[in-house]
Amino acid sequence: MKNILTAPFIKEMCDAAANMYRLGWDERNGGNISVMLDEAQAGEYLDLGSVLRTIPTGFGAKPLAGKLFLVTGTGKYFKNVKGDPENNLGIIRIGRDGKTAELLWGYKDGGRFTSELPAHLMSHMSRLSVDPENRIIMHSHPTYTLAMNYVHELDEKKLTHTLWEMCTECIVVFPDGIGVLPWMPCGTNEIGIATAEKMKEYRLVVWGMHGIYGAGKTMDEAFGLIETVEKAAQIYMLTAHLPRVNTIKDNELQALAELFGVEYRKDFLNL
Ligand code: 2HA
Ligand code: ZN
């Protein structure tokens, strides 16, 4: 058995959490990440027959029965993940009934997975139904994205359109746009269900006045989506109170999307 602390999936998770912390996106225990692991790869580092304890998930995730997930811990700080992965992260396998999680590694101090597990697992189910290669669900509180939530309408078309205008690459990076939920209490099955519904259509979902979710086949994809939204939101917040002299026009955004051959939300442009 190889040392799990050398596993690429642990290193990648540590690096992502460290980057997100340093970017100021994940204060205190803010944010959470889940990664669906490849069983054969995980088996090189873990005895998959040895269950440390079982933890109820609080909802049904039967389509994910038997799947392995590396998940950040509840109450844990992204700041601390890299220095102490075994306390701050855990690897769980979803039980046969979909209602329990078998802990295979981590949460060493008796902890458990993020309170946002419903939103994560339900979003994994949604993304897998439209993209069988999806592996990552990432939640974060990026500063400018959050600031923008207070001064911009929380409307999917309007928010996506404004962000597309802010950086040339936006329509190419997230041509599918951004789903938006109104403010809701977090950590509940209800926000999980609502997020997962949006995830059938979008890889990015804003939780009004709370933060953002990103999904992807890889950590880079999920991270890059959120990073690009955050950059565009920063440009917006730096310019929204100033007279707008120049803008990228809708026919230019269309030309860009066509040049890069991306399937974009045509109904989010005003042509
Ligand atoms: O777990 O970000 O949404 C901390 C959060 C909750
Ligand atoms: Zn949050």
Side-chain angles (χ1 to χ4, degrees):
M1 198 75 64
K2 298 187 207 168
N3 176 358
I4 189 155
L5 296 177
T6 67
F9 48 84
I10 297 288
K11 185 177 181 319
E12 186 178 56
M13 186 71 135
C14 289
D15 288 344
N19 279 325
M20 292 165 82
Y21 172 68
R22 259 189 294 281
L23 286 164
W25 299 356
D26 295 282
E27 73 294 343
R28 200 174 181 273
N29 63 319
N32 25 75
I33 309 174
S34 61
V35 181
M36 195 168 86
L37 299 179
D38 175 72
E39 195 178 316
Q41 191 190 25
E44 294 175 27
Y45 300 91
L46 272 181
D47 176 1
L48 299 178
S50 167
V51 176
L52 303 176
R53 54 192 159 100
T54 56
I55 311 172
T57 59
F59 64 101
K62 226 170 173 178
L64 298 175
K67 299 278 187 215
L68 299 173
F69 292 91
L70 171 62
V71 189
T72 50
T74 184
K76 299 297 195 233
Y77 293 19
F78 271 25
K79 171 173 82 69
N80 299 334
V81 170
K82 197 166 191 164
D84 190 3
E86 201 168 354
N87 268 320
N88 292 288
L89 304 174
I91 295 178
I92 56 171
R93 179 171 52 213
I94 307 305
R96 208 170 298 167
D97 59 0
K99 292 186 179 148
T100 49
E102 301 165 347
L103 181 66
L104 301 176
W105 175 83
Y107 308 141
K108 200 177 170 191
D109 58 5
R112 50 184 282 153
F113 38 74
T114 169
S115 58
E116 304 296 0
L117 194 75
H120 279 256
L121 292 191
M122 292 181 202
S123 293
H124 275 285
M125 290 191 255
S126 285
R127 287 312 302 164
L128 288 168
S129 72
V130 290
D131 176 7
E133 289 179 22
N134 192 81
R135 293 289 174 273
I136 313 286
I137 300 291
M138 178 181 279
H139 168 60
S140 184
H141 305 158
T143 311
Y144 292 94
T145 304
L146 202 41
M148 189 177 172
N149 272 227
Y150 291 88
V151 297
H152 192 282
E153 273 180 85
L154 291 176
D155 169 89
E156 287 165 353
K157 174 174 174 170
K158 288 178 184 163
L159 186 75
T160 300
H161 187 273
T162 298
L163 291 171
W164 279 353
E165 285 181 318
M166 292 298 120
C167 301
T168 292
E169 83 246 39
C170 279
I171 196 171
V172 180
V173 175
F174 52 96
D176 39 348
I178 305 175
V180 177
L181 293 181
W183 185 90
M184 292 171 76
C186 54
T188 63
N189 287 351
E190 287 69 30
I191 203 167
I193 293 165
T195 308
E197 197 51 41
K198 294 291 181 194
M199 280 276 177
K200 290 180 187 159
E201 200 178 337
Y202 302 101
R203 291 171 299 157
L204 285 160
V205 179
V206 161
W207 277 9
M209 291 163 283
H210 177 141
I212 192 164
Y213 268 74
K217 296 174 176 49
T218 62
M219 194 70 87
D220 273 353
E221 182 183 354
F223 185 93
L225 282 169
I226 295 177
E227 186 179 33
T228 306
V229 167
E230 174 64 353
K231 179 62 177 276
Q234 182 174 8
I235 307 295
Y236 178 79
M237 293 308 295
L238 288 170
T239 56
H241 55 296
L242 301 171
R244 180 82 71 87
V245 177
N246 300 305
T247 200
I248 308 173
K249 299 180 188 72
D250 279 26
N251 64 326
E252 294 169 332
L253 290 170
Q254 178 189 38
L256 196 62
E258 284 170 9
L259 179 67
F260 282 86
V262 292
E263 272 298 318
Y264 66 104
R265 284 292 297 251
K266 296 183 178 61
D267 56 325
F268 282 7
L269 292 179
N270 300 307
L271 289 167

